[in-house]
Amino acid sequence: MRVGVPKEIKNHEYRVGLTPTSVAELVNHGHEVIIETQAGMGIDFTDEAYVRVGAIIVETAEEVFEQADMIVKVKEPQPQEIAMLRPHHTLYTYLHLAADKPQTEGLMKSGATCIAYETVTSPAGTLPLLKPMSEVAGRMSVQVGAHYLEKEQGGRGVLLGGVPGVYPAKVAILGGGVAGVNAAMMATGQRADVTIYDINPDRLAELDLHFGSTIKTQYAAKAAIERAVAESHLVIGAVLVPGAAAPKLVTRDMLKLMKRGSVIVDIAIDQGGCFETSKPTTHDEPVYEVDGVIHYCVANMPGAVARTSTFALNNATLPHAVQIANKGAMQAMKDDPHLANGLNVSDGKVRHKAVADTFDDIDYEPVDWA
């Protein structure tokens, strides 16, 4: 199979779909890998490094799309990339379609087979291709939250961990999944006062055992979230409903209860965000203010630590990429129902129920794998 990797074109996106090591693995399996020139230069993967492991370098993204059967990316395709997709293509990347109807319709129109990292499952029911970026975003959320709490950034002027004789900042984490746990690890490491909110009592018990007395846990009832918003200096939205739009847990009215100069970081922004006042931002303009509260809603947070993120992502995505290349997308998914859960669009139809359910006028049409 011919596997193509275009250069990412989203704002300040320096990650790349395949590392040279991943390219070498695909080449060793007998596949041809086509890389757009400079695709990895943002994180010091030179064209020469790719050539040494057997890749072919081309000058433009158009050449990648024209020559490749499978397109491997990091972020969702931008409009000019969707326009280059054809029915014979397999697209393998993050999609987050529930928050992006134009992209959904564009991929349907293309006829391509589109496999989303974020809905591929494991035998245990986890999301192994989403996990590494959730880990990165969770850890980053505390880092950026602490930064924007600084007064010169417009924040309240609060040190996350306090100092002897001065209380630490209160941090509320909405969601006890991978991103939430990693946020809690970083926040407790900085000696903040941390509470995790979740609707699963079993998960709350697991978190209590894991963190012990270093955090508090709370069932995420509406009244509890309202109190958390009113009392906290930093609120991190780490809610995930696989494939679906994130629920709006914090309303505009709740936001008005927050202290002036407090910060929210919405990790769930790729799926539409879990704050009513959230809207996607970029690394160029990462924050905005509503009712005196700083909002950080960058839709590709891990792109800020692109080298770490690329290695972590490739560790998770490469095994499936090899299977898709070896067998073809449909046979690979037929053989592996967990990979099949990643299928979001094919033959002009939406194949993932949670995505279809988000839109009133798009039907869910599952594949018959028999």
Side-chain angles (χ1 to χ4, degrees), residues 8-17 39-44 74-76 94 96 130 132-141 143-144 267 269-270 281-284 286 296-313:
E8 296 292 326
I9 56 176
K10 192 162 185 170
N11 178 269
H12 281 291
E13 184 53 74
Y14 305 106
R15 289 173 290 181
V16 63
M41 275 303 293
I43 50 174
D44 290 333
V74 177
K75 289 304 294 177
E76 71 280 358
Y94 286 117
H96 299 291
L130 184 61
M133 296 304 95
S134 295
E135 291 170 336
V136 172
R139 295 182 183 209
M140 280 190 65
S141 67
Q143 182 173 304
V144 299
I267 299 174
I269 194 63
D270 275 327
T281 61
T282 67
H283 289 294
D284 273 340
Y296 180 99
C297 304
V298 174
N300 58 330
M301 284 178 67
V305 287
R307 190 171 174 88
T308 296
S309 296
T310 296
F311 281 115
L313 182 60

Side-chain angles (χ1 to χ4, degrees), residues 67-362:
Q67 297 179 32
D69 305 301
M70 176 165 68
I71 304 296
V72 180
K73 283 177 43 62
V74 177
K75 289 304 294 177
E76 71 280 358
Q78 303 303 294
Q80 59 266 49
E81 294 174 310
I82 293 175
M84 292 186 281
L85 286 170
R86 298 292 180 264
H88 74 276
H89 281 132
T90 294
L91 175 65
Y92 183 51
T93 189
Y94 286 117
L95 294 176
H96 299 291
L97 295 182
D100 193 343
K101 189 175 183 182
Q103 185 199 168
T104 304
E105 292 174 333
L107 294 181
M108 293 171 68
K109 184 177 179 181
S110 76
T113 298
C114 305
I115 301 172
Y117 295 157
E118 71 272 10
T119 61
V120 174
T121 57
S122 73
T126 61
L127 303 172
L129 308 195
L130 184 61
K131 181 180 179 181
M133 296 304 95
S134 295
E135 291 170 336
V136 172
R139 295 182 183 209
M140 280 190 65
S141 67
V142 175
Q143 182 173 304
V144 299
H147 176 62
Y148 284 104
L149 277 172
E150 296 172 5
K151 192 64 180 178
E152 74 277 9
Q153 301 299 324
R156 193 161 178 82
V158 174
L159 181 64
L160 209 61
V163 292
V166 180
Y167 284 121
K170 287 183 177 291
V171 177
I173 300 171
L174 308 181
V178 174
V181 166
N182 278 269
M185 289 168 56
M186 295 296 284
T188 55
Q190 294 194 41
R191 299 190 176 188
D193 180 349
V194 181
T195 305
I196 300 180
Y197 296 78
D198 202 281
I199 59 172
N200 185 336
D202 291 335
R203 184 57 179 158
L204 292 174
E206 292 169 359
L207 293 168
D208 185 71
L209 286 173
H210 178 79
F211 285 100
S213 61
T214 60
I215 68 160
K216 298 183 282 291
T217 59
Q218 179 76 52
Y219 185 81
K222 181 179 179 181
I225 293 174
E226 188 172 290
R227 286 195 303 272
V229 168
E231 296 172 358
S232 298
H233 302 92
L234 171 61
V235 181
I236 296 170
V239 180
L240 174 68
V241 180
K248 302 297 185 187
L249 297 183
V250 177
T251 66
R252 177 69 180 268
D253 287 340
M254 290 182 188
L255 190 79
K256 293 176 181 177
L257 302 174
M258 289 192 76
K259 300 175 180 68
R260 185 170 186 82
S262 296
V263 176
I264 66 170
V265 178
D266 198 342
I267 299 174
I269 194 63
D270 275 327
Q271 295 292 108
C274 59
F275 299 84
E276 187 179 359
T277 48
S278 290
K279 60 183 180 182
T281 61
T282 67
H283 289 294
D284 273 340
E285 297 183 29
V287 297
Y288 60 93
E289 186 180 307
V290 178
D291 294 335
V293 177
I294 296 173
H295 291 55
Y296 180 99
C297 304
V298 174
N300 58 330
M301 284 178 67
V305 287
R307 190 171 174 88
T308 296
S309 296
T310 296
F311 281 115
L313 182 60
N314 271 240
N315 289 343
T317 59
L318 179 61
H320 288 304
V322 171
Q323 290 306 308
I324 294 168
N326 286 348
K327 300 178 179 181
M330 299 311 287
Q331 187 61 50
M333 289 187 286
K334 186 175 181 179
D335 292 346
D336 183 352
H338 301 291
L339 176 60
N341 287 333
L343 181 62
N344 279 210
V345 175
S346 68
D347 298 321
K349 300 175 176 61
V350 170
R351 305 300 195 179
H352 196 284
K353 189 175 187 303
V355 172
D357 287 349
T358 304
F359 307 115
D360 294 334
D361 56 347
I362 295 179

